[in-house]
């Protein structure tokens, strides 16, 4: 709501918002907003070393209600399961991403920001949750990806230069590579419970370590057609020009048609005059 409130109060800028919803289930990435049958998606890197998910659906959002509608749609497709500790346990990690593009109405440069809302499935012990079979396999993948995330965050928190960061060891850290310890601001909200002391302690230690990550956020400006706002603006300009050309052509055709009708009328009058003279 705060985001849309700021947008509504900023009258000198144009905004464009698009949202996507990704699920990481058993190290397989899928699109929670896909209307057709979901299939595994590939995580790739472009020439600018920006990591992205290929083939991911991005929906435009104009209001807060649009965003919440997309969240609810994605939640219906997410994997949930029952364990001894939780009747509706998340069996996957999800990333709801909102890309905000804006530009001054008198400037061509487009500012781009990514808002990643990440819901991490909690670590679990099979002895406590009583999982087996599919649920046990899901728990193993969840614990492994959380372990890799913890490793990456610890290395970033230590602040040692030249340390190898194992982003590629997990789809979660790979997708979040551009947001971890770099051009980003990070906020972590921990959910804890007195029922699981060890899990609560581990969660708080993870959050405490993350506090020491060194982030260097700065403004991202795009001058080429990478920003959708800029592409849409160019397309609108092209369509306007085409419409003006079409209108101009129609005007010419209308003038030609009027001239032909006038000539036809004159010929008809001459023909009638000749008939009169003959009679």
């Amino acid at each position: 709501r705060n985001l849309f409130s700021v947008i509504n109060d900023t009258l000198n800028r144009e905004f464009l918002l698009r949202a996507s919803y990704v699920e990481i289930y058993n190290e397989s990435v899928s699109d929670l907003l896909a209307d057709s049958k979901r299939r595994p998606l590939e995580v790739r890197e472009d020439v600018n070393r920006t990591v992205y998910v290929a083939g991911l659906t991005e929906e435009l959002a104009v209001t807060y209600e649009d965003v919440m509608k997309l969240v609810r749609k994605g939640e219906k497709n997410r994997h949930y399961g029952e364990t001894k500790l939780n009747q509706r346990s998340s069996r996957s990690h999800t990333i709801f991403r909102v890309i905000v593009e804006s530009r001054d109405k008198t400037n061509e440069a487009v500012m781009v920001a990514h808002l990643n809302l990440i819901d991490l499935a909690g670590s679990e012990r099979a002895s406590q949750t009583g999982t087996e079979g599919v649920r046990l396999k899901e728990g193993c993948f969840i614990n492994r990806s959380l372990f890799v995330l913890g490793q990456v965050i610890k290395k970033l928190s230590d602040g040692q230069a030249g340390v190898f960061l194992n982003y590629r060891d997990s789809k979660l850290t790979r997708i979040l590579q551009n947001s971890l310890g770099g051009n980003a601001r990070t906020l972590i909200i921990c959910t804890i419970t007195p029922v699981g002391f060890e899990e609560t302690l581990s969660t708080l230690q993870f959050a405490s370590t993350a506090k020491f990550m060194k982030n260097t956020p700065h403004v991202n400006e795009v001058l080429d057609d990478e920003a959708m706002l800029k592409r849409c603006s160019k397309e609108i300009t092209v369509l306007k020009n085409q419409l003006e050309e079409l209108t101009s052509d129609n005007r010419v055709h209308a003038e030609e048609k009027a001239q032909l009708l006038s000539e036809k009328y004159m010929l008809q009058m001459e023909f009638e005059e000749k008939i009169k003279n003959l009679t």
Side-chain angles (χ1 to χ4, degrees):
R1 290 183 184 273
N2 290 341
L3 174 61
F4 285 97
S5 177
V6 171
I7 290 175
N8 292 332
D9 292 340
T10 309
L11 303 179
N12 62 330
R13 299 190 69 85
E14 296 176 333
F15 288 87
L16 186 145
L17 274 69
R18 42 198 169 103
S20 61
Y21 207 173
V22 168
E23 179 184 49
I24 305 171
Y25 173 73
N26 291 352
E27 280 302 290
S28 177
V29 181
S30 61
D31 186 354
L32 291 177
L33 299 181
D35 293 323
S36 57
K37 185 178 179 181
R38 288 190 294 157
R39 56 183 177 79
L41 301 178
E42 294 184 8
V43 181
R44 298 177 181 173
E45 186 176 291
D46 63 18
V47 293
N48 298 319
R49 302 186 65 83
T50 299
V51 179
Y52 68 99
V53 179
L56 185 63
T57 302
E58 288 187 345
E59 299 282 358
L60 295 179
V62 180
T63 64
Y64 169 78
E65 287 72 23
D66 292 340
V67 174
M68 294 310 300
K69 189 182 296 182
L70 295 174
V71 171
R72 288 190 291 268
K73 179 180 178 180
E75 284 298 301
K76 290 181 180 178
N77 297 324
R78 186 177 180 181
H79 286 85
Y80 287 98
E82 183 178 352
T83 67
K84 284 184 177 180
L85 298 180
N86 195 341
Q87 288 185 342
R88 195 167 186 264
S89 172
S90 301
R91 312 311 296 165
S92 62
H93 309 302
T94 60
I95 304 171
F96 185 80
R97 174 173 291 174
V98 179
I99 301 176
V100 183
E101 298 181 2
S102 71
R103 71 171 183 177
D104 191 294
K105 294 181 179 180
T106 61
N107 192 354
E108 285 296 316
V110 177
M111 294 172 58
V112 181
H114 290 197
L115 174 63
N116 293 313
L117 304 176
I118 305 152
D119 183 16
L120 300 176
S123 62
E124 55 186 43
R125 293 176 180 269
S127 58
Q128 292 180 336
T129 57
T131 54
E132 56 184 19
V134 174
R135 294 287 173 263
L136 179 61
K137 179 182 177 182
E138 293 169 344
C140 290
F141 276 107
I142 289 170
N143 290 341
R144 182 178 179 277
S145 60
L146 291 175
F147 174 72
V148 175
L149 178 62
Q151 280 188 321
V152 171
I153 287 180
K154 188 177 187 310
K155 291 178 180 179
L156 290 170
S157 302
D158 290 342
Q160 298 181 10
V163 176
F164 172 73
L165 298 171
N166 51 323
Y167 291 114
R168 294 177 180 270
D169 288 353
S170 167
K171 295 288 178 62
L172 177 65
T173 50
R174 181 67 171 144
I175 295 174
L176 296 177
Q177 180 174 341
N178 300 324
S179 302
L180 290 171
N183 180 21
R185 294 183 184 274
T186 306
L187 174 66
I188 296 177
I189 300 175
C190 299
T191 54
I192 59 177
T193 173
V195 176
F197 174 77
E198 292 184 1
E199 285 76 9
T200 294
L201 180 61
S202 174
T203 299
L204 293 176
Q205 288 174 338
F206 166 79
S208 178
T209 302
K211 286 173 62 178
F212 296 97
M213 280 198 307
K214 303 294 189 300
N215 290 344
T216 54
H218 59 267
V219 175
N220 301 310
E221 284 193 347
V222 178
L223 295 174
D224 55 21
D225 288 347
E226 184 179 348
M228 182 177 284
L229 184 62
K230 199 171 185 63
R231 294 200 304 272
C232 289
S233 178
K234 280 196 170 183
E235 288 178 8
I236 290 172
T237 302
V238 171
L239 290 173
K240 280 184 177 179
N241 292 336
Q242 290 177 349
L243 182 60
E244 289 177 359
E245 290 177 3
L246 187 61
T247 304
S248 177
D249 291 342
N250 288 339
R251 191 181 301 114
V252 171
H253 293 326
E255 292 175 355
E256 291 177 351
K257 185 177 180 180
Q259 185 176 355
L260 289 172
L261 288 173
S262 176
E263 291 177 359
K264 179 184 176 183
Y265 177 75
M266 294 297 295
L267 289 172
Q268 186 176 356
M269 293 296 292
E270 290 179 8
F271 182 72
E272 291 178 354
E273 186 67 26
K274 288 181 179 179
I275 290 175
K276 287 181 181 180
N277 294 333
L278 289 174
T279 57

